[in-house]
Amino acid sequence: MANFFASRTFTALSDLHPNMANLKIIGIVIGKTDVKSFPDRKNIGSERYTFSFTLRDSPTCFVNAASWGNEDYIKSLSDSFRVGECVIIENPLIQRKEIEREEKFSPTTPSNCKLLLSENHSTVKVCSSCEVDAKLLSLIHLPVKESCDYYSLGDIVANGPSLNGKIINVLAAVRSVGELKYFTTSDRRKGQRCEVKLYDETESSFSMICWDNESILLAQNWMPQATVIFASDVRISFDKFRNCMTASVISKTIITTNPDTPEANILLHFIRENKDTNVLDDAIDNYLKESINWFSEYVQKTLYRTIDSSCGYIVNEASNTCTTCNKDSAKFKSVFLSFDMLIDLTDHTGTLNSCSLTGSVAEETLGCTFVLSHRARSGLRITILSCKLADPVEASRNLSGQGHV
């Protein structure tokens, strides 16, 4: 990049030091946070707004920049550029970085400095691609960490809860990008989330959650089964509800889309070679999701209660009586809620209809309390004694119908 700054029109980020003035800087935005607000200590009752981003102008140097101000200025400035765009910054304030405090929440950078943009003195202008050197644009595909410094998804799963809370790097392919979902927290703050399914040679499906608008916008442009990402500094957590490991995008995270590295190219070759298998896996996932949605609408929560030792059979909630002895359930000493259902089991050879999924097996399988319908169909009756998730590779291979018409 030496020739790029030869004219000295722009100051290289590697040359920055505190208290420099009247600077003009150019770089590509490789990371960006959402706008946030904080109570203004100087003006009680009002709020100050801020956002930050990471700027890069060479393979070896990138810096963090931040801006504070009123709501209109900060939101307008934040909306004026996105990750992947080149910007020219004039008259930023150059400050020394407080490494221990700031890098706890911001991306780790090789520079000892940071940029502070003010409404009264600084300007930010977005460059068109034709105005920028191609070498600068290519930096968007260069990870901010060493290309070999990452965990495979299989390693994360294998290490399990021992990685809970750790911040690591991940190289993976995008399997699918979920829908944007909105929520409201207990203290009435609004939020959003988008779940991205990742995979690599070692693991067929792994969840990464995007919580901020900037990473969600980035994820919306990823092409499933055609995009590879290098996510630096994501937080790994153990999801107790789903009993699996997940990754979360945080304020320290910088995601490089389709990184230009040997390791990423190997992974890209792998996903291209296995695209047909992945399409089948996704078809199975979609079928299962649709089946679950249909089931939840169809069942109408028909509840039954298992009664005490004097009878031991089920109570129909609609009539509130035992289905065997017709006694009023109010007279029973002990009752507990349970569910019972009929399901169909399918593999490449055919389907078993009206299989009973009941009691603790149903609870473990579905993660909730269910029991079998009292309307047993005629014919062959199957009762499930245990149930667990199948190996995705084996299921994919069998359901593809190898050796069967």
Side-chain angles (χ1 to χ4, degrees):
M1 302 295 290
N3 294 334
F4 188 77
F5 300 101
S7 65
R8 306 307 297 170
T9 302
F10 301 106
T11 300
L13 297 179
S14 58
D15 293 337
L16 295 180
H17 59 80
N19 302 319
M20 293 179 72
N22 302 317
L23 299 181
K24 193 174 183 180
I25 296 169
I26 188 171
I28 190 166
V29 179
I30 60 173
K32 187 165 175 275
T33 69
D34 286 351
V35 171
K36 297 180 181 178
S37 63
F38 299 90
D40 191 339
R41 296 179 181 177
K42 296 182 180 179
N43 299 294
I44 305 301
S46 62
E47 293 185 323
R48 295 183 71 200
Y49 288 77
T50 183
F51 82 101
S52 60
F53 60 97
T54 304
L55 194 70
R56 189 175 202 171
D57 70 355
S58 73
T60 58
C61 196
F62 46 95
V63 300
N64 292 324
S67 184
W68 291 79
N70 61 57
E71 182 177 5
D72 291 340
Y73 166 68
I74 293 299
K75 287 187 174 180
S76 176
L77 181 59
S78 176
D79 290 341
S80 68
F81 62 90
R82 296 294 179 200
V83 171
E85 293 186 312
C86 292
V87 296
I88 295 175
I89 302 175
E90 295 190 46
N91 297 322
L93 176 64
I94 312 300
Q95 295 182 328
R96 185 171 298 280
K97 180 175 64 178
E98 299 178 42
I99 297 177
E100 184 175 346
R101 182 176 68 86
E102 294 181 13
E103 291 195 346
K104 185 177 181 180
F105 303 103
S106 301
T108 301
T109 66
S111 174
N112 291 323
C113 297
K114 63 180 180 179
L115 310 180
L116 186 62
L117 311 181
S118 67
E119 181 177 6
N120 296 328
H121 300 95
S122 310
T123 61
V124 179
K125 173 191 173 184
V126 178
C127 308
S128 64
S129 57
C130 61
E131 297 177 296
V132 183
D133 190 293
K135 291 181 179 179
L136 191 60
L137 292 174
S138 67
L139 296 176
I140 196 66
H141 299 294
L142 188 63
V144 296
K145 300 292 181 69
E146 292 293 330
S147 63
C148 58
D149 180 14
Y150 67 89
Y151 276 74
S152 71
L153 301 181
D155 288 339
I156 298 174
V157 173
N159 281 278
S162 65
L163 282 178
N164 187 48
K166 301 292 185 181
I167 296 177
I168 65 172
N169 309 321
V170 171
L171 174 68
V174 176
R175 176 170 173 173
S176 64
V177 179
E179 296 179 358
L180 175 60
K181 296 182 179 180
Y182 296 94
F183 61 87
T184 302
T185 63
S186 57
D187 57 355
R188 298 183 179 180
R189 290 183 295 109
K190 295 187 179 298
Q192 68 278 315
R193 73 190 295 274
C194 176
E195 182 172 3
V196 178
K197 292 289 188 180
L198 305 175
Y199 70 107
D200 62 10
E201 304 97 326
T202 64
E203 193 69 25
S204 62
S205 185
F206 185 90
S207 292
M208 181 179 76
I209 311 299
C210 300
W211 300 98
D212 63 293
N213 187 56
E214 293 296 334
S215 64
I216 291 174
L217 286 174
L218 188 62
Q220 299 300 319
N221 293 319
W222 294 339
M223 294 186 63
Q225 302 178 39
T227 300
V228 172
I229 64 169
F230 188 105
S232 69
D233 292 334
V234 293
R235 177 176 286 120
I236 300 299
S237 304
F238 179 71
D239 187 327
K240 293 182 179 179
F241 178 75
R242 290 187 285 186
N243 194 35
C244 64
M245 304 302 294
T246 62
S248 293
V249 175
I250 59 176
S251 57
K252 282 181 63 66
T253 306
I254 291 182
I255 300 177
T256 304
T257 303
N258 291 327
D260 185 14
T261 66
E263 294 84 357
N265 290 333
I266 292 173
L267 180 56
L268 185 60
H269 177 74
F270 167 80
I271 66 176
R272 286 173 177 170
E273 290 292 313
N274 294 273
K275 193 167 186 178
D276 291 340
T277 300
N278 296 327
V279 169
L280 177 61
D281 289 343
D282 287 344
I284 295 170
D285 283 350
N286 292 334
Y287 173 79
L288 291 175
K289 288 178 183 177
E290 290 174 4
S291 299
I292 291 171
N293 291 336
W294 172 84
F295 174 79
S296 62
E297 293 175 2
Y298 178 77
V299 167
Q300 300 294 325
K301 296 183 179 178
T302 304
L303 298 178
Y304 296 88
R305 292 185 174 93
T306 302
I307 62 181
D308 66 4
S309 58
S310 64
C311 179
Y313 288 91
I314 59 177
V315 174
N316 189 309
E317 188 183 41
S319 62
N320 212 31
T321 59
C322 174
T323 57
T324 303
C325 65
N326 293 321
K327 291 183 179 179
D328 185 347
S329 65
K331 299 179 181 179
F332 297 136
K333 296 178 181 179
S334 62
V335 225
F336 61 88
L337 286 173
S338 184
F339 278 93
D340 205 347
M341 70 176 70
L342 293 176
I343 66 171
D344 295 341
L345 294 179
T346 299
D347 68 4
H348 61 287
T349 63
T351 299
L352 289 174
N353 296 310
S354 303
C355 303
S356 300
L357 183 60
T358 65
S360 60
V361 176
E363 294 173 9
E364 293 174 2
T365 303
L366 301 175
C368 54
T369 313
F370 275 104
V371 211
L372 171 65
S373 170
H374 63 292
R375 297 192 300 266
R377 301 177 188 176
S378 60
L380 180 65
R381 179 165 179 151
I382 307 295
T383 298
I384 298 171
L385 300 180
S386 67
C387 186
K388 64 180 180 178
L389 291 175
D391 175 60
V393 176
E394 181 183 0
S396 171
R397 184 167 53 247
N398 288 335
L399 289 175
S400 65
Q402 292 181 354
H404 297 275
V405 179

